Amino acid sequence: MLIMAALTSCGSRVTTVMVIPEPASVSLSGKTVAADALLSISAPSDLALEAQVLADGLSREAGMECRMASRGRVRLSIDGSMGEEEYGLKVSRHSVVLRGGSAKAVYYGVQTMLQELRSYDGCLMCGTIKDSPRYAWRGFMVDESRHFFGEEKIRQTLDMMASCKLNRFHWHLTDAPGWRIEIKSHPELTSIGSIGCHTDPEAPSAFYTQEQIRDIVAYAAERHIDVVPEIDMPGHASSATRAYPELAAGDAGSFTYNPGKPEVYSFLRDVLSEVAGLFPYEYLHIGGDEVFMGSGKWAEDPYIKALMEREDIADIKGVEAYFLRQIAPVVDSLGRKMTAWDDILELGSGKCGETLTWWRQERPDHLYQGLRDGYELILCPRLPLYFDFVQDETHTSGRRWKGGVFCPMDSVYVFPDRILDAWGDAEASQDAILGIQANLWSEVVRTMERYDFMTYPRIFALAEAAWTSADNKDFESFSKRLEPIYELMDELGIFYCDYRDISKHPEPKI
Ligand code: ACM
């Protein structure tokens, strides 16, 4: 299908293209070149993977094989003078030149071309695109503890993320209902801890073996996506304390580890060492959220009481801070940057770790404090970036803020412009904001249908919010550029929420 409707003209030049996210600058002549005129690619060996991804796309569109050649119609190269994620694409009737600051940047140029081929019936638009992202961190989080979705769904998610230039996959692998990652030094984490899910404590064991994790991390790396594992502590730990009751604060299955027991720290050192061995990316997330949900009786626990006396700790917040101060050097010794939810700012522990994921939109003070304390900030406030929140007034399954406010696609799209405007320049030090991320928590997401429905197409709005400068964002244009993506999702059998006609795909129940 040839879709020209969304293109707006500026003189004779066309200044937008049917691609999400909208590139930084577009200048098109209005002419096109078909894939079958572009069936040879030249690229240096360090772009072999990117060249192959493009060759597969061109072959698919042309119905003929695209081959590698020393003087190809399509030329890919790395240009050291460009930014790490910056690319330039020049398309004429006879050739394509794609330059990028790194293999990753060239990969993004390839993704732009692949989307064009879909949008324009196997053609590329002639002209020039210059592009680079607004934010370095463009993330998506999936919670597989509450409900487990498995390799195939995660691979599809990584494919879709890559297609819209999202580059961080935050993997919430442990929480109260189930432990989802094999740890060889502590096998009961999976033989016991992986049984159950949020809606069924007896659901069959579900977890990733280390081999599966390595495969998925490699699959993500081929798509230039870094994977950030989250091992939540000291709260949200019931699956671990069920498997190893000696780590519990109180009874087996306690919500928190017991910060008064030395064996908790050696256990966590073992776990984090294995995790660091599986995930090469420099960030490691240690949770740190909502400890209050399980720390109410800490002061009565003999081990914690002894710790408080020994270390002269006045209250349970101090115990939590002590716990964090034990974990931070472990993460550091593994060569990883420690990341945590913004809750840790309440502990008065001083700066602990490098990065915060700010999730509570009702606590802007935490954002300011995080900035003042020198943290790198990843913005993922519930409103509008928790994808377990419903997205339409008529939807009834899923979360709402205080029973009412929800997260429609346009609220995702405009983030964080209004909120940054509201903060003003002095506090919202843009340099310290690494980027933005949406989180798919899964208490209310049990089936694959609901996973799709809550994720798509909001994830494309997230991608444009993370990549495209505020000046270049336009929701109406975005909605038109979604058309070919709806078609792609139909082909892939993805059960998305259809914003063109909200009643078309009924909301799946939990
Ligand atoms: C969170 O939603 N507990 C980070």
Side-chain angles (χ1 to χ4, degrees), residues 359-468:
W359 65 282
R360 287 178 296 179
Q361 77 288 339
E362 77 281 18
R363 297 298 306 264
D365 56 315
H366 273 190
L367 185 53
Y368 303 146
Q369 189 186 335
L371 290 170
R372 274 196 303 272
D373 289 356
Y375 284 100
E376 300 168 321
L377 265 292
I378 296 156
L379 312 183
C380 51
R382 275 178 297 225
L383 298 176
L385 295 182
Y386 270 26
F387 281 7
D388 52 332
F389 276 57
V390 304
Q391 52 196 311
D392 186 70
E393 188 57 63
T394 60
H395 292 169
T396 55
S397 289
R399 292 169 71 191
R400 289 170 183 258
W401 178 244
K402 295 189 191 294
V405 187
F406 53 96
C407 301
M409 185 161 68
D410 57 350
S411 69
V412 176
Y413 189 81
V414 299
F415 188 81
D417 307 331
R418 287 183 198 150
I419 196 165
L420 285 178
D421 289 349
W423 295 336
D425 259 20
E427 302 249 49
S429 154
Q430 283 263 16
D431 289 349
I433 295 174
L434 271 186
I436 68 175
Q437 167 175 310
N439 298 335
L440 183 68
W441 297 101
S442 63
E443 287 94 333
V444 294
V445 183
R446 189 173 54 83
T447 65
M448 301 299 178
E449 260 199 351
R450 261 189 82 73
Y451 182 109
D452 288 352
F453 190 80
M454 303 308 268
T455 303
Y456 303 104
R458 283 190 290 192
I459 197 168
F460 291 97
L462 168 77
E464 189 144 316
W467 181 279
T468 303

Side-chain angles (χ1 to χ4, degrees), residues 38 42 104 129 159 162-163 167 188 229 293 329 354 435 501:
L38 299 170
S42 50
K104 183 183 194 181
I129 293 178
D159 289 345
S163 76
N167 65 354
E188 283 158 33
M293 285 165 54
E354 309 288 333
D501 173 1

Side-chain angles (χ1 to χ4, degrees), residues 273-499:
S273 304
E274 288 194 40
V275 168
L278 292 169
F279 295 91
Y281 189 46
E282 61 181 334
Y283 291 83
L284 201 161
H285 204 299
I286 57 91
D289 55 323
E290 299 178 314
V291 181
F292 69 89
M293 285 165 54
S295 60
K297 293 206 172 134
W298 275 7
E300 295 160 29
D301 180 275
Y303 297 92
I304 298 175
K305 268 206 245 151
L307 170 74
M308 291 172 81
E309 239 172 72
R310 198 168 63 241
E311 297 287 332
D312 196 21
I313 299 173
D315 55 24
I316 56 172
K317 282 282 177 212
V319 174
E320 209 181 313
Y322 171 88
F323 174 90
L324 206 62
R325 284 198 304 272
Q326 309 311 300
I327 296 302
V330 174
V331 177
D332 195 45
S333 73
L334 294 168
R336 295 294 183 273
K337 288 184 172 179
M338 189 173 97
T339 308
W341 300 105
D342 65 81
D343 309 47
I344 67 164
L345 291 175
E346 284 160 17
L347 304 179
S349 56
K351 185 165 178 253
C352 222
E354 309 288 333
T355 317
L356 292 178
T357 34
W358 176 67
W359 65 282
R360 287 178 296 179
Q361 77 288 339
E362 77 281 18
R363 297 298 306 264
D365 56 315
H366 273 190
L367 185 53
Y368 303 146
Q369 189 186 335
L371 290 170
R372 274 196 303 272
D373 289 356
Y375 284 100
E376 300 168 321
L377 265 292
I378 296 156
L379 312 183
C380 51
R382 275 178 297 225
L383 298 176
L385 295 182
Y386 270 26
F387 281 7
D388 52 332
F389 276 57
V390 304
Q391 52 196 311
D392 186 70
E393 188 57 63
T394 60
H395 292 169
T396 55
S397 289
R399 292 169 71 191
R400 289 170 183 258
W401 178 244
K402 295 189 191 294
V405 187
F406 53 96
C407 301
M409 185 161 68
D410 57 350
S411 69
V412 176
Y413 189 81
V414 299
F415 188 81
D417 307 331
R418 287 183 198 150
I419 196 165
L420 285 178
D421 289 349
W423 295 336
D425 259 20
E427 302 249 49
S429 154
Q430 283 263 16
D431 289 349
I433 295 174
L434 271 186
I436 68 175
Q437 167 175 310
N439 298 335
L440 183 68
W441 297 101
S442 63
E443 287 94 333
V444 294
V445 183
R446 189 173 54 83
T447 65
M448 301 299 178
E449 260 199 351
R450 261 189 82 73
Y451 182 109
D452 288 352
F453 190 80
M454 303 308 268
T455 303
Y456 303 104
R458 283 190 290 192
I459 197 168
F460 291 97
L462 168 77
E464 189 144 316
W467 181 279
T468 303
S469 69
D471 291 349
N472 257 353
K473 281 162 69 176
D474 175 342
F475 187 67
E476 212 176 300
S477 151
F478 166 79
S479 302
K480 288 179 183 151
R481 283 179 282 112
L482 259 185
E483 277 296 332
I485 289 171
Y486 281 122
E487 282 183 21
L488 172 67
M489 292 191 293
D490 282 332
E491 278 169 35
L492 295 173
I494 291 177
F495 191 82
Y496 54 86
C497 175
D498 195 331
Y499 275 81

Side-chain angles (χ1 to χ4, degrees), residues 2-144:
L2 188 64
I3 300 172
M4 302 293 287
L7 301 177
T8 56
S9 290
C10 173
S12 63
R13 307 300 291 179
V14 180
T15 56
T16 188
V17 65
M18 290 290 282
V19 166
I20 290 176
E22 171 80 35
S25 130
V26 176
S27 174
L28 306 178
S29 67
K31 298 194 174 84
T32 61
V33 53
D36 55 15
L38 299 170
L39 292 178
S40 58
I41 301 181
S42 50
S45 59
D46 44 1
L47 293 177
L49 199 140
E50 290 67 29
Q52 193 55 52
V53 172
L54 180 58
D56 291 346
L58 288 167
S59 304
R60 201 169 42 240
E61 292 298 338
M64 281 185 286
E65 200 187 332
C66 176
R67 56 189 175 80
M68 300 300 152
S70 55
R71 291 163 65 86
R73 285 291 186 92
V74 180
R75 296 196 297 281
L76 310 185
S77 62
I78 293 182
D79 177 342
S81 71
M82 299 175 88
E84 206 226 330
E85 296 195 302
E86 178 186 2
Y87 69 89
L89 179 63
K90 261 195 190 139
V91 178
S92 74
R93 300 299 292 272
H94 309 288
S95 67
V96 172
V97 176
L98 169 59
R99 293 179 307 120
S102 67
K104 183 183 194 181
V106 171
Y107 184 80
Y108 291 150
V110 167
Q111 293 307 320
T112 294
M113 291 165 76
L114 295 179
Q115 280 199 37
E116 283 193 51
L117 291 168
R118 286 196 65 81
S119 303
Y120 301 117
D121 206 14
C123 292
L124 297 178
M125 302 302 283
C126 295
T128 305
I129 293 178
K130 292 182 186 152
D131 204 6
S132 59
R134 178 179 188 180
Y135 290 116
W137 186 290
R138 305 180 298 279
F140 186 58
M141 190 213 81
V142 176
D143 166 12
E144 287 211 86

